[in-house]
Each structure stands twice: as structure tokens, then as C-alpha cells.
């Protein structure tokens, strides 16, 4: 009972039995008798709800009731993980955080980390959270029109509704203005070298011939870039840095390049596009971003952007670097690779259960609170993190376990014919099954003289074996080919199994690794869009219901 109160669900027979025999080794010789007593007690617990458990435990063992509450409170306290405080020196204005994806596909678990942590910091400091689409690459990371709305939906789902949404491709005139200003200040120039020619200059730490051109010449060439006079790769706008810089990546980096490609959102309105380092650097200042969470692999972005901020007299945001995250079951999160797989037909879409996208996880029945806790518990560290989905399963289970109604579903069903007494067929049987271990209301499952059991359970059956069909009756196996069982009085059973009635419905479960089919009880069809637990199988979300089949997506 103490176990039930502590964890909010009936205990497992093996868990109770192991602990009991561990504390009373002298009773191991009577393990079978003890096991029967344990089964009887747990059946009694299953027939009651959480309030009844609490009341009974306080009556029979008040000291354990107090301990149980105390342990639960301590456990919950440990789980209330918070993010480390932000460094606030130099910023007396309110905290403004941003998450800036390229919408070239659906948000992944990697995206969720950025959404959750940035929005959480904005909440912690009563600040502002901005969703900015850095969509200025119509070639290599070509945006998807649907992805803009998907990201907004995912943010709202994760309780991270942005205070403002910015689309970079719709603010190109701002970037042109600052490109022109940097030319006028002598801090940028139009380079007409080929990529191969400039590479030689860069490696030799020498300035290219166009670096010393006067402002007037650079403005003429800039206007020619904007008017379409030059073709792709014939001209770029470079930011002057130091051609002798010890890091080649910082030597006169590219701020604008020509891409005469149609953009899914703004069409052919623009042919000169800013690089990500230029666009995001300008936007972070214009939007008043106070803190940037950035992958440590992007340290050079900050070093490039600091040239802009120094030239324009701006204060750079406080930057916190964090390591990469790798989920064992998915490996590297590459939106571009996922998109290619979908286009090749390897996946059904962005919500395919095999993918690490938020759309897929939502369809599988994951709860947004679990994903938030999952990432907040990781904190912000420069160390690379490798975790298993089992960590997310654990967070999600805490949430769905108390909500999910219980139902019977049998995979690879095998028909069992029931006989009542020695010869006669059984009449209609009615099982009163708990809807949820912590609730006192029941669901009725009616069946005739046939039920279905899972193929895995059937493989363990043998003639003469006594089996408890959970909530229904106890039977003794008379034959296995075909499977025939005689209803007997309850007693010592070899195993307790779930089952499906003869009027059950066809259920198809989509799992990440496969699709499994079976039969479930009819009430499953009433749970459309809900997460339920198929007993002894797992949590699933009921995705669709039709006359012929119920489709469920496997959660974990």
C-alpha cells in the first residue's frame, strides 16, 4: 500500500515479492504461498483508488503514510531543476532572448532545446522572447513555406509563445542600408576576385586588388550588384578585418553575395543576399538582444560580428556557449538530411514516427511539459551532451501515467475458446476493469465464448496451465491446437494476462521501428487524439478511428 501511495499506481508483484523475501529470508521456502498472498493483496489495491489507498495506509500504518508523503515531496523537490542565472553585467535593460532557426524543415529535438531554454530565460527575468527566421539562403538552406507556421505552432505547443516574430527575408532593405553605411565608412568593399583568386590572397595574408578601391568605386560596384549587372560569384561585399589575422576564417569575410534564385517567400524580389553572420549580427542589435545562447562550434560567428559592432559603435550581446546535444537513438540532427530523406520517399513526412522532429513526437503523444523539463534539466554547459530517449521517456511517463486511461490490446492475437464448466459453452461474460489505477470508475468489457490473447502469451501456454484473464475469470488450458480453456474457480494461477473480447476492434500501432497489428477492446475508439496505455504494451496516442481500423502511434 505504501508503494501504491508513493508512486500513484498499484505495485508490481515481483517488486513487492522481492522486497518482502529480502526482509524475511526465512519465508523463501514458502515463496509460492507468499506470492499468492501478494497477488491477492495487489488485486485488492487495484480495485481501489488513490484516495482510498491514502486513507487505508493512514489507518493501518500512519508512520509509513507520513514517510511516503515525505519521500514524494523530497523527490519532487529534486526534480525542480532551474537554469543557471544569466550574467547581467553591462545590461541594465530587460532581458531579450531570441531563437533564430532557418525554416528549411520542421523543428527537431535540437530546435526544441533552443526554443525551451531561450523562452525559459525570458520568463525567469520577465523579459522578451523573439522568434526570428534567418531565411536569407535561398540556395543551400532553401526555406519551406510550411515550416514558418510549424515553428510558431511548435513554440506555442512548448509553452514558448514568442512575443515577436521576425522574418529576415522581409527586412532586406535594412541590411542593404547597413551594407551601404559600412562602404561609406570605408569598412567594406566590393571584391571582384574569383573564389580561387581570393583564396590565394587569404592564404598569403595579402590584400586583394579591390580592397584599396575608393568609396565612390565601391558604391558603383555595390549598385551594380543590386541591379543585377553581375552574375553569381562575380562579386561579393566583404567586411574589412585584418588580412594578417592568425585565423584565416576572419580575414575579410563575406557579408553579401549574389544568388539569382527564387526565394519561396519573397520570390525574385532580391538577388543580393546577406550571409548569416551579417544578417544575424545586424538583427541582434536592431532587436535589442541582450543575451545569445550559441553552440561552441559557432564561436567564429561572434568574432566576425564583433567587427561590425566595433565599426558601428554598438555593444555586443552577452554570449553563452553551449555544447552539442546528441540523442543516441537519432544521432546528429540534420534538417537538410531529413528533408532529403523525405523527398526520396524514405519517410512518410515530417511527422513520421522514426524522425526526431517535434511534429513526430507530438503525434506520438509526447507532452510539451516533458520536453521542457528534459532540456531544462540539462542546463547550459559547454560540454557536449549524449543522452538516450529513455531520459525523455521517463519525464513523459510521469505526466501521461496519471492521465492515460487503461485498455486491453493484444498483438499477434490468438483465439481462445472458453468452456464453462466441464462441457458447456460459456455465456456472455462481463469484465469490470478499472479505467485507471488511481480512479474508482470502471469500464465494462463484454465477450462471448471467445477471447483473443497475445501471441507472446500463447507461446508460453501449455496443457493444464491455470491462467487468470485479468478482470474476467480464471481458466485452465485444455488444448493448445486449437486453444481451448475451461473456466474454473479462482485459485493459484501460473500467469495473469490481458486479452481482447470477441467483438474487439482492429488496431494498428505505428512504432518507430515497425508497424504492429492486433485486436483491442471497443472503447479504444472513444479516445481519439488522447494518449492511453495499452496494458503490458506501452503508451500510445490514438491518431485516427474508422469503421475498419484504429491507428495508434506508439509513445514509449
Amino acid at each position: 500500500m505504501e508503494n501504491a501511495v508513493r508512486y500513484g499506481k498499484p505495485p508490481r508483484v515481483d517488486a513487492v515479492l522481492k522486497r518482502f523475501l529480502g526482509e524475511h529470508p526465512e519465508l523463501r521456502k514458502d515463496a509460492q504461498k507468499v506470492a499468492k498472498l501478494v497477488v491477492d493483496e495487489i488485486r485488492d489495491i487495484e480495485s481501489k483508488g488513490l484516495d482510498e489507498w491514502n486513507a487505508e495506509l493512514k489507518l493501518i500504518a500512519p508512520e509509513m503514510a507520513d514517510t511516503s508523503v515525505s519521500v514524494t515531496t523530497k523527490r519532487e523537490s529534486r526534480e525542480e531543476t532551474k537554469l543557471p542565472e544569466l550574467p547581467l553585467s553591462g545590461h541594465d535593460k530587460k532581458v531579450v532572448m531570441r531563437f533564430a532557426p532557418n525554416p528549411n524543415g520542421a523543428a527537431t529535438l535540437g530546435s526544441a532545446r533552443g526554443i525551451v531554454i531561450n523562452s525559459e530565460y525570458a520568463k525567469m527575468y520577465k523579459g522578451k522572447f523573439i522568434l526570428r527566421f534567418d531565411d536569407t539562403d535561398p540556395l543551400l538552406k532553401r526555406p519551406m513555406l510550411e515550416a514558418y507556421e510549424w515553428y510558431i505552432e511548435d513554440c506555442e505547443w512548448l509553452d514558448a509563445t514568442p512575443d515577436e516574430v521576425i522574418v529576415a527575408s522581409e527586412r532586406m532593405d535594412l541590411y542593404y542600408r547597413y551594407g551601404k553605411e559600412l562602404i561609406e565608412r570605408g569598412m567594406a568593399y566590393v571584391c571582384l576576385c574569383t573564389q580561387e583568386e581570393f583564396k590565394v590572397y587569404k592564404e598569403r595574408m595579402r590584400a586583394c586588388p579591390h580592397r584599396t578601391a575608393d568609396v565612390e568605386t565601391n558604391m558603383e560596384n555595390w549598385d551594380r550588384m543590386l541591379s543585377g549587372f553581375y552574375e553569381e560569384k562575380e562579386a561579393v561585399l566583404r567586411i574589412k578585418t585584418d588580412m594578417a589575422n592568425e585565423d584565416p576564417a576572419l580575414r575579410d569575410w563575406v557579408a553579401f553575395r549574389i544568388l539569382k534564385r527564387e526565394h519561396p517567400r519573397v520570390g525574385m524580389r532580391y538577388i543580393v543576399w546577406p550571409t548569416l553572420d551579417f544578417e544575424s549580427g545586424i538583427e541582434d542589435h536592431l532587436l535589442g538582444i541582450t543575451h545569445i545562447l550559441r553552440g561552441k562550434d559557432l564561436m567564429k560567428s561572434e568574432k566576425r560580428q564583433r567587427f561590425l559592432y566595433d565599426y558601428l559603435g554598438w555593444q555586443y550581446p552577452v554570449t553563452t556557449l553551449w555544447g552539442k546535444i546528441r540523442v543516441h537513438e537519432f544521432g546528429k540532427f540534420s534538417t537538410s538530411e531529413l528533408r532529403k530523406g523525405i523527398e526520396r520517399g524514405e519517410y512518410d513526412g515530417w511527422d513520421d514516427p522514426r524522425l526526431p522532429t517535434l511534429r513526430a513526437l507530438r503525434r506520438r503523444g509526447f507532452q510539451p511539459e516533458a520536453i521542457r523539463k528534459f532540456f531544462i534539466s540539462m542546463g547550459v554547459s559547454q560540454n557536449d551532451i549524449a543522452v538516450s530517449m529513455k531520459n525523455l521517456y521517463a519525464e513523459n511517463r510521469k505526466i501521461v501515467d496519471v492521465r492515460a486511461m487503461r485498455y486491453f490490446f493484444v498483438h499477434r492475437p490468438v483465439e481462445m475458446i472458453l468452456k464453462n464448466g466441464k462441457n458447456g459453452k460459456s455465456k456472455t461474460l462481463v469484465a469490470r476493469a478499472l479505467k485507471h489505477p488511481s480512479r474508482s470508475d470502471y469500464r465494462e468489457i463484454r465477450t462471448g465464448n471467445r477471447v483473443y490473447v497475445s501471441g507472446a502469451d500463447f507461446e508460453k501456454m501449455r496443457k493444464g496451465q491455470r491462467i487468470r484473464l485479468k478482470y474476467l475469470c480464471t481458466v485452465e488450458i485444455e488444448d493448445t491446437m486449437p486453444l481451448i480453456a475451461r473456466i474454473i474457480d479462482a485459485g493459484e494461477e501460473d500467469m495473469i494476462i490481458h486479452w481482447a473480447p470477441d467483438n474487439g476492434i482492429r488496431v494498428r500501432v505505428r512504432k518507430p521501428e515497425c508497424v504492429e497489428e492486433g485486436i483491442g477492446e471497443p472503447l479504444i475508439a472513444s479516445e481519439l487524439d488522447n494518449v492511453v496505455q495499452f496494458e503490458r504494451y506501452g503508451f500510445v496516442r490514438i491518431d485516427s478511428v474508422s469503421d475498419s481500423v484504429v491507428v495508434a502511434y506508439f509513445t514509449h
Side-chain angles (χ1 to χ4, degrees), residues 159-197:
D159 191 25
T161 302
D163 298 296
E164 188 175 0
V165 177
I166 298 294
V167 180
S169 62
E170 297 176 353
R171 292 158 65 87
M172 294 288 286
D173 291 340
L174 284 172
Y175 315 137
Y176 292 164
R177 183 196 311 167
Y178 284 103
K180 179 181 178 183
E181 182 176 336
L182 288 164
I183 293 172
E184 292 172 341
R185 292 189 181 205
M187 302 303 178
Y189 65 98
V190 175
C191 176
L192 303 177
C193 297
T194 65
Q195 288 181 343
E196 293 75 17
E197 289 171 340

Side-chain angles (χ1 to χ4, degrees), residues 20-29:
F20 187 83
L21 294 178
E23 294 177 358
H24 300 279
E26 71 276 11
L27 293 177
R28 287 177 180 168
K29 65 182 188 301

